Amino acid sequence: MHEEKKGLSWFRLILLQIVVGSTLIVIFAYLFRISVDEVHIVPREQQNRELFVGVPMRMNITYPGIGTISIEDPKELVAWKESFAHLLSSGRQENRPDTRRMVLTGSISYLDQEDVPFEINTSSFHFGSEWVNSLDVSADIRKLQNMLIDKTLTADAVGASIANPQHDVFSLQDGLITPLASDKRNVLTAQMRTAVRLIDFNHFDFNEKPPSAHFVVQLIKEANGRKHWLHIDQYDSAYFVVFDLLDETNHKAYFRINNASNIPEGQVERNG
């Protein structure tokens, strides 16, 4: 009788262990299933931050029809990256008509991840898979586009566009547009490539009078067949003013022709 009770108690103990073990398995299985199936929505701000966690090594900017420049200065790269991040975190995606006239493209290269492409036009900014086009950041988008245009319209880039055999160069005088002779085109190319960028031109009044010469560079046609023109105003033998009619930010790049004089050093920016 004693042995029978002892056997029964062992049986109950084993049965209790099985019940407890099964219960624990069910509980852990349920908790594990919940943790796997649970969907976490990552805030847009966090997604944007993750796009900028890498260390930028180089940024390329392409101006349509003119060419591509590269930026490798670490401080400047950080400043551009912060501008991009601020714009993405401030704006939204809205259903607005696409009114783009000119699109700048580029990419940021990172040491520890793939290159991230970007694209900007007057109404929207795209960076990787993220983009913004809301009205509340439209002024910031135009400002950023203006800054990128200013960065790419260098004397060397404009000079290269004049020299490019795929481009046609014309002289506009008294309403008549005529092809620029090769010798004059070579002179214009050399003058533009060696010109000095003006960074403080507010006190100059040279552009209050008509230019002494006006040149038009017909850039390579875009995919939609639309013509793209770059305009160059020359004032005497001293200054160039370069602008693009497709640019809705109305940006103008000012240059001093290399043989011009009497401009203080603090008001010019050397090429390179």
Side-chain angles (χ1 to χ4, degrees):
M1 187 71 176
H2 178 72
E3 292 181 357
E4 183 178 352
K5 288 183 178 179
K6 184 177 181 181
L8 183 61
S9 63
W10 275 106
F11 175 76
R12 289 176 177 175
L13 180 60
I14 293 173
L15 182 61
L16 179 62
Q17 289 177 339
I18 292 175
V19 171
V20 172
S22 300
T23 303
L24 290 174
I25 290 174
V26 171
I27 292 173
F28 281 116
Y30 177 77
L31 292 176
F32 179 76
R33 182 183 66 82
I34 291 299
S35 62
V36 171
D37 292 345
E38 186 175 359
V39 177
H40 295 276
I41 298 177
V42 180
R44 182 185 178 91
E45 291 77 9
Q46 181 177 339
Q47 291 179 350
N48 293 337
R49 286 195 298 268
E50 290 175 354
L51 287 173
F52 298 95
V53 294
V55 178
M57 303 298 293
R58 184 179 65 259
M59 185 170 90
N60 295 327
I61 312 169
T62 299
Y63 190 112
I66 291 185
T68 302
I69 68 162
S70 294
I71 301 172
E72 297 183 354
D73 179 76
K75 291 184 178 179
E76 189 174 357
L77 288 172
V78 170
W80 284 110
K81 189 179 77 164
E82 290 177 351
S83 297
F84 290 178
H86 173 72
L87 187 55
L88 286 178
S89 62
S90 302
R92 303 184 306 278
Q93 299 175 3
E94 294 182 350
N95 185 19
R96 298 174 57 201
D98 188 355
T99 58
R100 69 179 66 186
R101 293 179 58 183
M102 185 175 66
V103 179
L104 269 68
T105 58
S107 63
I108 292 184
S109 301
Y110 290 93
L111 177 65
D112 50 357
Q113 65 187 66
E114 295 183 358
D115 294 0
V116 181
F118 65 83
E119 175 184 297
I120 188 168
N121 57 72
T122 307
S123 59
S124 66
F125 173 64
H126 297 244
F127 188 84
S129 59
E130 295 295 314
W131 58 278
V132 291
N133 70 336
S134 51
L135 285 173
D136 57 329
V137 292
S138 60
D140 293 330
I141 292 175
R142 291 171 71 94
K143 180 180 178 181
L144 179 60
Q145 186 187 32
N146 188 294
M147 293 168 60
L148 291 170
I149 289 172
D150 182 73
K151 193 67 183 178
T152 52
L153 278 183
T154 65
D156 189 63
V158 177
S161 69
I162 299 171
N164 190 335
Q166 293 182 288
H167 298 163
D168 294 322
V169 183
F170 302 91
S171 173
L172 179 61
Q173 187 175 9
D174 298 328
L176 298 177
I177 185 168
T178 56
L180 194 64
S182 60
D183 57 337
K184 294 183 178 180
R185 180 169 177 171
N186 292 336
V187 170
L188 180 63
T189 300
Q191 286 181 322
M192 190 70 247
R193 278 181 161 164
T194 58
V196 181
R197 186 69 176 270
L198 294 174
I199 58 174
D200 182 11
F201 49 83
N202 291 326
H203 68 285
F204 293 123
D205 58 359
F206 63 84
N207 57 349
E208 294 180 359
K209 60 182 180 179
S212 55
H214 184 88
F215 305 98
V216 181
V217 183
Q218 183 176 324
L219 305 176
I220 300 173
K221 289 184 178 180
E222 299 180 14
N224 57 11
R226 180 175 56 181
K227 292 183 178 180
H228 190 178
W229 305 84
L230 190 68
H231 294 256
I232 304 171
D233 283 340
Q234 181 176 346
Y235 292 87
D236 301 324
S237 297
Y239 307 104
F240 284 130
V241 179
V242 180
F243 58 97
D244 189 331
L245 291 182
L246 289 184
D247 173 20
E248 293 180 297
T249 69
N250 298 317
H251 179 77
K252 292 184 178 181
Y254 293 79
F255 301 89
R256 187 199 72 180
I257 299 175
N258 199 34
N259 59 5
S261 58
N262 300 322
I263 295 182
E265 282 295 319
Q267 295 165 1
V268 300
E269 178 182 44
R270 300 291 179 184
N271 290 332

